[in-house]
Amino acid sequence: MSGFMKEFKEFIAKGNVMDMAVGVIIGGAFTAIVNALVDNVIQPFITLITGGGTDVGGLQIRVNAETVIDFGAFISAIINFLIVALIVFLLVKSLNKMMAMTNIATEESEEPAPVCPHCLEEVKDGATRCPHCGSEIK
Ligand SMILES: [Zn+2]
């Protein structure tokens, strides 16, 4: 049991748990935004185009007096899921692109400036003579 507790403490201390918690919270808020976008902006737009094409709530099969199989709600849920998945895909795609661009920018700025081998002062990239000690640089 003590081994389990130790492992659990290490798991929390790693910091991944905090990252995960932040991810879950942001994900929850993000879902609300996407749902609002789908319900209030995209669905009315699609309904306008298709003339009520996504309004499939009438697709019901009455098995008996108590049991109704509602295909409409199921199909609506699938359509919603596909729209949300598409939006998330596009967002993640543009986010990845942004991250890649940021990474390239950081890599460029983090490259250390060249140093004169004689006096160890920083010199400009491509310089052939050190401005500090006057030595030639190859
Ligand atoms: Zn120098």
Side-chain angles (χ1 to χ4, degrees):
M1 192 63 195
S2 64
F4 177 81
M5 287 304 288
K6 188 169 169 277
E7 209 177 317
F8 184 60
K9 270 184 193 166
E10 280 171 3
F11 172 68
I12 290 173
K14 266 181 194 165
N16 299 1
V17 176
M18 291 309 292
D19 289 348
M20 215 165 72
V22 169
V24 167
I25 291 164
I26 289 176
F30 184 70
T31 305
I33 293 170
V34 170
N35 281 342
L37 182 70
V38 168
D39 290 344
N40 303 314
V41 179
I42 292 172
Q43 281 283 13
F45 191 61
I46 288 172
T47 309
L48 191 75
I49 291 170
T50 60
T54 60
D55 185 20
V56 285
L59 279 176
Q60 292 181 345
I61 294 173
R62 185 165 288 277
V63 179
N64 56 41
E66 292 90 39
T67 313
V68 174
I69 297 175
D70 190 351
F71 286 111
F74 181 58
I75 294 168
S76 288
I78 291 174
I79 291 170
N80 271 4
F81 169 77
L82 289 176
I83 293 168
V84 169
L86 179 71
I87 292 168
V88 169
F89 170 71
L90 291 174
L91 273 169
V92 168
K93 208 167 127 82
S94 53
L95 259 175
N96 279 344
K97 210 172 171 184
M98 236 166 66
M99 294 282 273
M101 279 166 73
T102 316
N103 278 349
I104 289 165
T106 342
E107 271 168 29
E108 276 173 358
S109 65
E110 276 177 359
E111 196 176 305
V115 168
C116 169
H118 304 285
C119 66
L120 300 178
E121 290 282 347
E122 276 186 16
V123 293
K124 278 181 184 163
D125 196 22
T128 54
R129 194 172 285 278
C130 174
H132 305 284
C133 66
S135 304
E136 257 187 68
I137 306 166
K138 282 167 194 166

